């Protein structure tokens, strides 16, 4: 019997947030293929405020190695171009009217290995976040046991459920990482 104070679904939701965050972080890693998520982290100085690229332009992928950015307001083209140049993506924008084209260069073997290391770092951060959620859940169970709100058997069973959820989300993180690593190393 689950107590109203302990919610396994909330723990799973928080762990899922760590996996979603990893997917977002890995989406912004350059793999040698064009992806609209590549320019998501770029902030543009628009109308006196910093805005995400998606709020000032449409990003499309007309070719596997080309991003096309259609800026909505003609006066914002130079600001978008400047934001791309100042980002750490290492891309050189080519402007044609209100359209900015970004050629994605081929990655060499050394750069691919660096990207894999960054992906592993992101994955480890997500694993740590999942483990923190597990620790919070187990601490909460121990407190409920200490306060005599649940029995020892309930505490052990629910702690086992928390561990199963942790193992499930760690495996999901490893799967997402393996998929991204394969994508990065693909020539």
């Amino acid at each position: 019997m689950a107590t109203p104070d302990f919610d396994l679904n909330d723990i799973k939701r928080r762990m899922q947030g760590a996996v979603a965050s990893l997917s977002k972080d890995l989406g912004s890693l350059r793999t040698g293929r064009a992806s609209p998520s590549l320019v998501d982290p770029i902030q543009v100085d628009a109308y006196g405020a910093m805005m995400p690229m998606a709020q000032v332009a449409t990003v499309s992928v007309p070719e596997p190695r080309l991003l096309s950015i259609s800026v909505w307001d003609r006066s914002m083209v130079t600001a978008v171009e400047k934001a791309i140049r100042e980002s750490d993506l290492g891309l050189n924008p080519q402007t044609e009217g209100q359209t900015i084209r970004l050629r994605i260069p081929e990655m060499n073997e050394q750069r691919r290995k660096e990207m894999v290391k960054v992906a592993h770092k992101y994955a480890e951060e997500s694993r740590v976040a999942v483990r923190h959620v597990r620790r919070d859940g187990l601490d909460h169970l121990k407190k409920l046991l200490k306060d005599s709100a649940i029995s020892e058997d309930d505490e052990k069973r629910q702690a086992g459920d928390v561990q199963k959820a942790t193992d499930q989300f760690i495996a999901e993180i490893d799967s997402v990482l393996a998929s991204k690593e394969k994508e990065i190393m693909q020539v």
Side-chain angles (χ1 to χ4, degrees):
M1 171 181 107
T3 63
D5 293 331
F6 182 76
D7 187 8
L8 184 62
N9 290 330
D10 182 54
I11 288 175
K12 287 181 178 180
R13 180 190 53 75
R14 290 171 55 199
M15 288 179 178
Q16 184 60 48
V19 174
S21 175
L22 172 65
S23 296
K24 184 174 183 273
D25 289 345
L26 290 180
S28 67
L29 273 184
R30 210 172 95 198
T31 61
R33 272 191 296 192
S35 167
S37 62
L38 193 61
V39 293
D40 281 351
I42 297 177
Q43 296 284 317
V44 180
D45 185 8
Y47 314 112
M50 296 307 280
M51 302 174 98
M53 181 73 72
Q55 291 184 5
V56 294
T58 304
V59 182
S60 61
V61 184
E63 297 173 26
R65 294 199 168 283
L66 179 71
L67 278 177
S68 178
I69 302 171
S70 300
V71 183
W72 300 327
D73 184 355
R74 188 178 303 272
S75 65
M76 293 304 305
V77 172
T78 54
V80 170
E81 190 176 356
K82 180 180 177 198
I84 293 169
R85 285 188 200 282
E86 291 176 351
S87 72
D88 58 354
L89 295 176
L91 299 174
N92 190 20
Q94 300 166 339
T95 308
E96 301 168 7
Q98 281 182 248
T99 303
I100 298 173
R101 299 193 190 288
L102 295 175
R103 288 240 167 253
I104 309 297
E106 186 74 42
M107 287 179 18
N108 62 17
E109 188 68 22
Q110 179 183 0
R111 185 73 178 132
R112 287 178 195 279
K113 288 180 180 173
E114 287 173 18
M115 287 294 180
V116 167
K117 285 181 185 176
V118 171
H120 278 273
K121 186 183 89 160
Y122 288 157
E124 186 55 35
E125 288 170 2
S126 292
R127 287 186 200 103
V128 168
V130 166
R131 291 182 193 120
H132 282 303
V133 173
R134 176 188 63 189
R135 185 198 60 216
D136 292 347
L138 294 177
D139 287 350
H140 186 72
L141 284 172
K142 286 177 187 167
K143 184 180 181 313
L144 289 174
L145 179 64
K146 184 179 168 224
D147 295 344
S148 299
I150 60 173
S151 68
E152 268 188 53
D153 290 341
D154 281 345
E155 189 262 348
K156 291 230 183 296
R157 184 180 48 75
Q158 289 179 344
D161 291 344
V162 169
Q163 185 59 48
K164 283 179 194 166
T166 303
D167 294 343
Q168 171 193 344
F169 284 104
I170 297 278
E172 191 174 337
I173 287 169
D174 291 343
S175 169
V176 168
L177 174 64
S179 169
K180 187 65 174 187
E181 190 173 345
K182 182 179 175 193
E183 181 183 330
I184 290 171
M185 295 309 288
Q186 189 176 33
V187 179

